[in-house]
Amino acid sequence: MEGGVVSARVEGTPQGGPLSPLLLNILLDELDRELEQRSHRFVRYADDCSAYVRSKAAGERVMASLERFLARRLRLKVNREKSAVARPWERKFLGYSVTTHRLPKLKIAPQSVQRFKTELRALPRRGRGRSLIGFIEELRPILRGWVAYIKSTEVRVSLETLDQWLRRKPRAILRKQWKRWRTRLRELVRLGLDSERAAASACNGRGPWWKAGAGHMHEAVPISLLHRWGLTSVLQEHRRSACTL
């Protein structure tokens, strides 16, 4: 696609096909050998590569020398916008980062969690008018697939925070579906809220996202009810996957 117009491919390999990564690994095998010869500690997956040195000055030298090597030997250009000399915990690799401990632990990179949230925000918009149960059913395999990808993380704080955000999402959807205050009052009472508190909540003029985080919605739609509806906890899924490793 060039400028929104489909055009015939005259060079290169199809994106997503098995040939591209195979040719890439054949080409970058020479980079791996160069890094091994220099006794650098490094990790590479496809075209994503990180080398680890003892100081920032050494990092600057290695970055410049590798850039020259790739340009002269392999005729490849380093993307400077995505490349940097920084502490390991300031960078991410395949969705992961590390903690600042003396013995660092593997954790999910904050950018990865944010990107995942952005993808999930599009789900309710794609299925407007659909039931909440239908939204949860579509969400469940996505969550399990994501947990399977990040199952190597050793830090679970971000999973707990993500679970809180995920529980707030269906509560906000319910508040949007209850458009009239009478409907909100009726549904909140039906879910077990006392009539006085339900009336105060139904007449609240704040937006659905704020209301979804309020105490009355937590009481009306508790975690146990969300789980009965099929909402998956990413923390529990991660614990399950860790037990099966």
Side-chain angles (χ1 to χ4, degrees):
M1 297 286 289
E2 294 182 4
V5 180
V6 177
S7 57
R9 187 186 304 277
V10 295
E11 62 180 5
T13 58
Q15 186 175 1
L19 182 59
S20 298
L22 175 62
L23 294 176
L24 180 68
N25 277 325
I26 292 172
L27 178 65
L28 292 183
D29 181 66
E30 198 165 346
L31 172 63
D32 296 343
R33 293 178 183 277
E34 178 69 17
L35 289 168
E36 288 172 354
Q37 187 176 349
R38 298 183 187 187
S39 299
H40 289 318
R41 293 186 177 184
F42 71 97
V43 58
R44 182 180 69 80
Y45 183 86
D47 61 342
D48 199 352
C49 182
S50 294
Y52 302 96
V53 293
R54 292 184 177 276
S55 67
K56 184 177 180 180
E60 297 286 357
R61 288 196 303 272
V62 171
M63 171 73 83
S65 63
L66 288 180
E67 194 170 6
R68 288 193 301 269
F69 171 82
L70 290 168
R72 295 173 183 174
R73 189 69 171 268
L74 302 181
R75 299 185 180 182
L76 296 175
K77 185 178 180 181
V78 174
N79 188 335
R80 295 295 291 181
E81 293 182 1
K82 295 183 178 180
S83 304
V85 176
R87 298 287 190 182
W89 51 85
E90 295 172 357
R91 304 292 294 173
K92 69 180 183 71
F93 185 80
L94 301 180
Y96 288 94
S97 186
V98 294
T99 63
T100 58
H101 299 114
R102 183 176 180 83
L103 295 175
K105 294 183 178 181
L106 201 62
K107 69 174 186 176
I108 309 167
Q111 304 95 312
S112 301
V113 177
Q114 194 58 45
R115 185 169 61 249
F116 185 57
K117 284 183 178 180
T118 302
E119 294 173 1
L120 295 182
R121 285 190 185 101
L123 286 181
R125 291 195 291 270
R126 290 208 305 263
R128 284 177 177 166
R130 182 181 49 184
S131 69
L132 178 61
I133 301 299
F135 164 74
I136 292 175
E137 287 177 353
E138 184 179 355
L139 180 64
R140 192 162 54 240
I142 296 173
L143 295 179
R144 286 176 175 166
W146 188 73
V147 171
Y149 180 78
I150 55 87
K151 65 183 179 181
S152 297
T153 182
E154 300 171 275
V155 180
R156 296 174 177 176
V157 175
S158 55
L159 297 179
E160 295 171 356
T161 305
L162 182 59
D163 264 339
Q164 294 171 4
W165 184 87
L166 287 168
R167 291 192 290 265
R168 193 170 179 175
K169 197 70 177 172
R171 291 175 181 138
I173 292 174
L174 282 177
R175 292 297 304 210
K176 285 183 179 179
Q177 291 177 349
W178 304 336
K179 296 184 183 298
R180 300 177 182 276
W181 74 269
R182 291 182 185 276
T183 305
R184 293 195 291 268
L185 176 60
R186 183 183 68 247
E187 293 297 326
L188 287 170
V189 171
R190 184 180 65 82
L191 289 169
L193 215 61
D194 65 83
S195 56
E196 184 178 348
R197 196 171 184 200
S201 172
C203 298
N204 190 305
R206 291 182 179 267
W209 186 252
W210 184 92
K211 293 174 184 176
H216 56 265
M217 281 301 289
H218 283 248
E219 185 178 339
V221 188
I223 298 174
S224 58
L225 179 58
L226 290 172
H227 286 174
R228 285 202 302 272
W229 287 347
L231 183 65
T232 301
S233 165
V234 291
L235 182 59
Q236 290 179 3
E237 284 293 327
H238 180 266
R239 285 172 176 162
R240 246 193 307 272
S241 65
C243 291
T244 57
L245 287 178

